[in-house]
Amino acid sequence: MTLLITVFAAVISTVIWYKGAPENEMKTGILCWMFWGASIMWFVDAIFEYKELGAEYFTPAPLDMLNDAFLGLSVVALGLIVWLVYLLIKDPKGAVRKALAKKK
Amino acid sequence: MACFTVPVAEAIVTTIVAKAVKSKEEKQHINLNGANTEIKESGKTPFSKKLGWLNKMLWLGSFLLAFEHLWHGEVIPTFPFLTAVKTGEVSEMLGEMATAGVMMAMLVTLVWAGIVAVVTVMEKKADKEPEIAEENA
């Protein structure tokens, strides 16, 4: 479930990046690399788990599934926070700098 | 257990390599400008930037994986930071790092190599297109 949610996040962020490319003003490229990187790593994890459990891997207990979904959503939230911090630090539109200059 | 540490180790190496490649590319650029050579804009992505893609996938991907390990209690905020070390399951942990960890790092690198190959082909094609258009005109 975590893998599935992360793959969806990776696909959605790639589509959003493509829509804004090549300007990439919102720095969404970072989200693509992050979610794709994590998806590949969890895919390997899934292969090893499948090797251990067999077909049982595809029929998880409801409680495990719920926990994995909760984890997946938390991972996406964490990824979005990392992106937001990166965006505000890089400030490609200069909005933060302008706002700070206005205060002075 | 600690499989994410293998991609982190690779990320450390590739980050150092990327920095070295970038400074080499900058030196080459300065030399060319200093010699007053006419530089033809090729529009090719520098290799240091391509290495940056791998770095981002490795660093950020392992960051999310580290969070998952923290979630499952495999990583702890106090020394020795890994539950497997605390409970004496070091050999199991090393075994997982050697199998799953190495495969994770290899697969990420393989995917990156694929992306770089596609980008290189596309750039070569884009470079050739104006020449073909000129020949046809």
Side-chain angles (χ1 to χ4, degrees):
Chain A
M1 201 68 174
T2 311
L3 170 66
L4 205 62
I5 290 170
T6 317
V7 168
F8 273 115
V11 171
I12 292 166
S13 53
T14 308
V15 170
I16 293 169
W17 167 82
Y18 187 80
K19 263 185 98 178
E23 271 78 30
N24 195 19
E25 213 175 32
M26 292 300 285
K27 300 273 172 204
T28 44
I30 196 109
L31 276 176
C32 302
W33 295 120
M34 179 161 36
F35 288 136
W36 280 121
S39 298
I40 294 166
M41 291 179 198
W42 271 314
F43 176 66
V44 172
D45 233 13
I47 292 170
F48 277 88
E49 225 173 302
Y50 176 75
K51 243 175 89 181
E52 211 178 285
L53 300 172
E56 214 178 291
Y57 172 78
F58 298 107
T59 50
L63 203 65
D64 288 339
M65 220 162 94
L66 189 71
N67 186 263
D68 271 356
F70 189 27
L71 171 63
L73 291 173
S74 304
V75 161
V76 173
L78 184 66
L80 289 172
I81 290 168
V82 169
W83 164 70
L84 196 65
V85 170
Y86 180 77
L87 181 73
L88 293 176
I89 290 171
K90 287 276 174 183
D91 193 20
K93 283 185 161 182
V96 178
R97 261 170 282 148
K98 272 179 203 164
L100 288 173
K102 243 186 184 178
K103 270 190 180 175
K104 285 175 188 174
Chain B
M1 282 182 172
C3 49
F4 71 93
T5 52
V6 180
V8 168
E10 191 192 339
I12 293 168
V13 174
T14 54
T15 305
I16 294 165
V17 173
K19 290 237 187 251
V21 171
K22 198 178 178 184
S23 71
K24 204 179 166 186
E25 282 169 354
E26 279 170 355
K27 268 184 195 168
Q28 272 178 344
H29 190 74
I30 290 165
N31 284 344
L32 282 172
N33 281 338
N36 222 357
T37 320
E38 206 175 292
I39 303 164
K40 193 183 170 189
E41 286 286 330
S42 63
K44 275 184 186 167
T45 312
F47 189 65
S48 59
K49 195 179 178 186
K50 287 174 184 168
L51 266 174
W53 301 339
L54 177 64
N55 288 339
K56 280 174 195 155
M57 267 206 283
L58 288 169
W59 278 118
L60 298 168
S62 3
F63 171 70
L64 292 185
L65 239 75
F67 174 71
E68 183 238 10
H69 282 68
L70 195 73
W71 182 283
H72 288 134
E74 292 167 357
V75 171
I76 43 172
T78 52
F79 189 79
F81 305 110
L82 297 166
T83 312
V85 176
K86 203 177 178 185
T87 54
E89 294 168 292
V90 179
S91 59
E92 253 180 70
M93 181 190 79
L94 290 174
E96 201 203 63
M97 279 165 70
T99 51
V102 169
M103 204 168 145
M104 277 174 188
M106 273 170 63
L107 195 63
V108 170
T109 313
L110 209 72
V111 169
W112 168 77
I115 295 168
V116 169
V118 170
V119 168
T120 308
V121 170
M122 283 167 86
E123 281 175 343
K124 274 187 183 168
K125 229 179 172 180
D127 263 1
K128 272 183 186 172
E129 266 169 16
E131 287 170 25
I132 295 164
E134 275 174 30
E135 279 170 20
N136 289 340

